[in-house]
Amino acid sequence: MNLSVEIGGVTLKNPVITASGTFGFGHEYNEFYDLSELGAICVKGLTREPRLGNPPPRIAETPMGILNSVGLQNPGMERFVAEELPFLRRFDTKIIANLSGSTTDDYLAIAKYLDAADVDLLELNISCPNVKAGGMAFGTRPESVATLVGAVRRVVTRHPLIVKLSPNVTDIAEIARAAEDAGADALSLINTVLGMRIDVKTRRPILHNNMGGLSGPAVLPIAVRMVYQVANAVQIPIIGMGGVASGADAVELMLAGASAVAVGTACFGNPMAPVCVRDGIYEYCETQGIADVRELIGGVRPY
């Protein structure tokens, strides 16, 4: 059975990727299985300079997932290339560098630096706040998406560019088309959904940042819907994510139009989740008599 898929001209041995921000740089998970079993690893979100992240508490459990406001804690782009990338390059898997910034200049600096690094793809996180625009996220308006993606596209010349979309928008298809038109080679969605929890005993928010991003099983139906809408609006590949914890979840996203899937929050409860998802996809294809996993892509039969 062929499990390989293609994202932005890069072939992945199977369609399972680890979601940025949930896998660190792979050291801990390598104690459970060989990272070469994955289609790709999307590393922790990287910024121009090291970041300590937000003050705790910054994780809150929910009945069907978690809220997080970690705040992009990371060692910065230079230490990633010098200290983390050599470890990851020991494995037979593709490496996706996720880049984030607070201003356009930040994005351009890190995009140029990582484009020269030994990674396979770049993922542009456009859910970060644009400081110069009063904190509004880059990815919430088609105009700002087109401007930022276009600027980064001119800097990124060696690697395929994935643009990661926020679900906190009115029309996800409109945002996706803006990213495609500006030069994105692929899209990934969805990022976390904005949420909040309150401790009823203290009457204070559980997260120090008051609000955070909701991920986990609760957001899977939102992810499936948005992947379906985007797949019907663009021609470039989609990496589907949001609540994937089983092979069946991954198959849903692929039927909706995703070429690959990312596993994130599920890793916290089961470190083997990405491998289990891969095996689940294989078993589904085997029982359905499917010889090539790419037959699943966009295979939903809507009423």
Side-chain angles (χ1 to χ4, degrees):
M1 184 188 302
N2 177 37
L3 285 181
S4 67
V5 297
E6 189 173 290
I7 300 293
V10 175
T11 300
L12 279 56
K13 67 173 69 175
N14 64 66
V16 178
I17 301 169
T18 61
S20 177
T22 64
F23 205 74
F25 300 109
H27 295 282
E28 297 85 359
Y29 292 94
N30 185 51
E31 297 180 14
F32 291 90
Y33 59 90
D34 184 351
L35 301 185
S36 297
E37 296 196 43
L38 301 170
I41 294 171
C42 188
V43 303
K44 192 170 183 57
L46 300 166
T47 52
R48 195 173 181 176
E49 302 293 338
R51 285 178 60 102
L52 294 176
N54 292 328
R58 53 191 191 181
I59 295 287
E61 291 189 63
T62 74
M64 289 290 287
I66 61 171
L67 284 171
N68 94 82
S69 64
V70 172
L72 294 172
Q73 177 183 342
N74 76 95
M77 61 185 188
E78 293 182 0
R79 285 185 58 191
F80 163 71
V81 171
E83 301 174 13
E84 302 293 350
L85 193 52
F87 165 77
L88 291 168
R89 274 298 172 213
R90 290 165 40 191
F91 303 98
D92 179 24
T93 186
K94 302 303 181 184
I95 307 301
I96 304 172
N98 177 285
L99 56 101
S100 298
S102 298
T103 67
T104 300
D105 288 344
D106 285 343
Y107 275 108
L108 294 180
I110 189 172
K112 185 175 182 179
Y113 187 84
L114 292 176
D115 192 42
D118 185 23
V119 298
D120 298 291
L121 304 102
L122 299 180
E123 182 179 64
L124 180 66
N125 178 2
I126 58 173
S127 299
C128 293
N130 180 354
V131 173
K132 292 183 179 180
M136 180 178 293
F138 283 97
T140 57
R141 296 181 300 165
E143 300 82 7
S144 58
V145 169
T147 299
L148 179 62
V149 174
V152 173
R153 175 77 280 174
R154 289 188 289 273
V155 170
V156 174
T157 59
R158 296 182 59 235
H159 295 96
L161 181 63
I162 306 164
V163 177
K164 189 170 187 176
L165 304 184
S166 167
N168 302 303
V169 297
T170 302
D171 187 343
I172 190 70
E174 183 181 32
I175 300 294
R177 283 191 293 265
E180 180 183 40
D181 292 344
D185 297 300
L187 301 171
S188 59
L189 63 149
I190 58 175
N191 209 329
T192 55
V193 178
L194 192 61
M196 182 177 183
R197 292 210 69 191
I198 298 171
D199 184 330
V200 297
K201 295 179 181 178
T202 64
R203 302 188 182 184
R204 297 184 68 89
I206 294 177
L207 298 176
H208 189 277
N209 208 44
N210 296 322
M211 293 179 287
L214 176 66
S215 62
V219 306
L220 178 62
I222 300 172
V224 173
R225 184 262 295 181
M226 288 191 165
V227 166
Y228 175 72
Q229 289 176 315
V230 169
N232 283 282
V234 302
Q235 301 300 314
I236 54 179
I238 297 167
I239 301 171
M241 63 188 72
V244 176
S246 68
D249 296 338
V251 169
E252 269 198 74
L253 283 169
M254 295 189 75
L255 290 174
S259 295
V261 295
V263 182
T265 300
C267 295
F268 300 145
N270 175 16
M272 296 293 296
V275 176
C276 293
V277 169
R278 181 205 60 187
D279 293 346
I281 295 171
Y282 183 96
E283 291 165 8
Y284 175 85
C285 290
E286 191 173 47
T287 58
Q288 295 290 316
I290 296 171
D292 192 322
V293 74
R294 289 172 292 185
E295 294 179 32
L296 296 177
I297 302 171
V300 65
R301 295 178 291 177
Y303 293 104

